[in-house]
Amino acid sequence: MAMGLLFTSIPEALVLQVGELDTAKKVWEAIKGRHLGAERVREARLQTLMAEFDRLKMKETESIDDFVCKLSEITSNPAALGETIEESKVVKKFLKSLPRKKYIHLVASLEQLLDIKTTSFEDIIGRLKAYEERIKEEEEESPIEQNKLMYVNSEHQSQSGRNYNGDYKNRGRGRGYYGRGRGRGRMYQEFDISKITCFR
């Protein structure tokens, strides 16, 4: 009767493996050994997943959506093995994994304003995605403003060059209509064109 109860409570594949055993004790020991082996495999797999969870970091070029997909996939795998990661732990990991240079100010604000232990993962994602969109808008506007600035600088330089060349014969290095220096009292002299240096 004990062997009959054991055979009805285990999968068919396992029944075929232990069906040749002649006592209920031997059947039980065989089932126990296989279960312990499966349990060790499960524990090893869980350790691997948790190590992967701890190492996960968001790249500078990665979007919030892409990183959330990675994080969600890693956190859902332990659930299939009977281990559930608390939502507050996922939220803390998410905020900790963000690039500090880009998100440090927002993360600091969220940690001060919200209770991270009770805030849902979806709420944090929504806030981060809204912030990401604002950053994209500013980055799209920055090249336009930079081009305007470069255009204004080039216009200013070209005008300065015209002024300098236009006034050269009066403000140059002192050679021109009035000899060698400024205000030295030299009389008006004719100048030799061959001695003029062209700077343009």
Side-chain angles (χ1 to χ4, degrees):
M1 184 181 293
M3 290 181 65
L5 290 172
L6 288 172
F7 288 152
T8 57
S9 62
I10 60 177
E12 183 179 354
L14 187 56
V15 171
L16 297 175
Q17 295 175 18
V18 299
E20 296 180 356
L21 301 177
D22 54 357
T23 65
K25 180 176 176 57
K26 291 180 180 179
V27 172
W28 177 255
E29 292 296 333
I31 295 172
K32 184 178 178 181
R34 285 172 173 77
H35 179 72
L36 288 175
E39 185 68 19
R40 291 192 183 99
V41 172
R42 188 185 76 88
E43 290 293 332
R45 178 59 179 159
L46 276 175
Q47 290 179 5
T48 302
L49 290 172
M50 295 310 297
E52 188 177 355
F53 176 78
D54 292 335
R55 290 195 305 267
L56 187 64
K57 292 283 185 182
M58 180 177 172
K59 299 177 182 178
E60 291 283 348
T61 57
E62 204 169 15
S63 68
I64 294 294
D65 283 332
D66 292 338
F67 182 68
V68 167
C69 288
K70 286 184 181 180
L71 185 60
S72 299
E73 182 179 357
I74 292 176
T75 54
S76 63
N77 288 333
L81 299 173
E83 186 76 17
T84 304
I85 301 177
E86 296 180 0
E87 188 174 28
S88 61
K89 187 175 182 179
V90 177
V91 170
K92 290 179 181 178
K93 175 60 181 176
F94 178 62
L95 295 176
K96 187 178 179 181
S97 302
L98 296 172
R100 292 181 60 83
K101 183 178 179 181
K102 193 173 182 180
Y103 294 99
I104 183 62
H105 300 296
L106 180 62
V107 171
S109 299
L110 291 176
E111 289 177 344
Q112 291 179 3
L113 297 174
L114 302 176
D115 185 0
I116 302 300
K117 294 182 179 180
T118 58
T119 304
S120 67
F121 187 41
E122 288 76 13
D123 184 20
I124 295 293
I125 293 172
R127 294 174 187 270
L128 266 296
K129 288 183 68 174
Y131 180 74
E132 185 181 48
E133 289 298 323
R134 291 290 302 273
I135 292 177
K136 286 182 180 179
E137 291 178 3
E138 291 182 3
E139 288 177 350
E140 289 174 357
E141 292 175 358
S142 295
I144 299 174
E145 296 298 326
Q146 186 67 22
N147 290 337
K148 288 180 180 179
L149 182 60
M150 292 175 64
Y151 177 75
V152 170
N153 286 339
S154 63
E155 284 292 310
H156 177 69
Q157 290 176 1
S158 62
Q159 290 176 4
S160 299
R162 285 197 295 269
N163 291 338
Y164 175 80
N165 293 327
D167 297 339
Y168 172 72
K169 63 183 180 182
N170 295 327
R171 300 188 293 108
R173 297 188 179 180
R175 297 185 181 274
Y177 289 108
Y178 298 97
R180 291 179 52 188
R182 294 185 189 173
R184 295 190 180 183
R186 295 289 181 102
M187 299 291 292
Y188 170 79
Q189 301 174 359
E190 291 185 4
F191 61 91
D192 186 358
I193 297 177
S194 65
K195 295 181 180 180
I196 295 177
T197 302
C198 180
F199 291 92
R200 186 170 185 182

